[in-house]
Amino acid sequence: MNLMLNAIEAMKEMATPGKLTISTQQDENRQILVSVSDTGIGIRPNRRGKSSIRSLPSKSKATGMGLPISRSIIESHGGRLWATSNSGPGATFRFTLPVEAAAVQSA
Ligand SMILES: Nc1ncnc2c1ncn2[C@@H]1O[C@H](COP(=O)(O)OP(=O)(O)OP(=O)(O)O)[C@@H](O)[C@H]1O
Ligand SMILES: [Mg+2]
């Protein structure tokens, strides 16, 4: 939900209508891979090659805790969360969740 709301927020200031795309697939390690992609203001790689995020001026009520909380939830389930810049406008946030670890743990 946080990734979707962030994507919608990132598209609010754009002149053209935005497009939010959510997809799920199984990645090469047989993990669930969820992608949340938008056509918003995007993110830029910083000097270390990692993605940095800009503050959205429209977000006055934001706590800025959404992504750290999202990451800690996903990592506590054995997954990973990361962001990349789209080749066109916008950003894509992806996370993985293991399929088999949960089954092993509950057995
Ligand atoms: N899809 C995105 N495109 C561009 N910038 C983004 C995107 N998602 C997040 N950001 C940037 O990262 C910041 C942090 O996001 P995060 O979800 O952690 O906090 P927030 O949305 O500002 O507040 P909260 O989620 O706590 O209400 C956002 O304010 C925004 O500047
Ligand atoms: Mg948020």
Side-chain angles (χ1 to χ4, degrees), residues 2 6-7 10 38 41-43 53-56 59 62-68 91 93:
N2 178 52
N6 284 355
D38 64 63
I41 60 164
I43 52 176
I53 44 185
R54 282 175 265 185
S55 287
L56 296 173
K59 298 190 88 166
T63 65
M65 287 302 292
L67 284 173
F93 282 72

Side-chain angles (χ1 to χ4, degrees), residues 27-100:
D27 74 4
E28 63 276 12
N29 302 319
R30 301 196 60 227
Q31 294 189 312
I32 296 166
L33 173 64
V34 180
S35 305
V36 180
S37 189
D38 64 63
T39 56
I41 60 164
I43 52 176
R44 287 175 291 195
N46 65 18
R47 268 174 289 162
R48 289 196 209 127
K50 295 207 165 182
S51 295
S52 66
I53 44 185
R54 282 175 265 185
S55 287
L56 296 173
S58 58
K59 298 190 88 166
S60 52
K61 278 183 277 172
T63 65
M65 287 302 292
L67 284 173
I69 292 170
S70 302
R71 171 167 275 165
S72 79
I73 294 169
I74 289 161
E75 288 183 351
S76 75
H77 289 278
R80 217 160 58 82
L81 168 69
W82 73 99
T84 52
S85 201
N86 294 343
S87 52
T92 300
F93 282 72
R94 292 186 176 85
F95 65 89
T96 55
L97 287 172
V99 183
E100 282 165 10

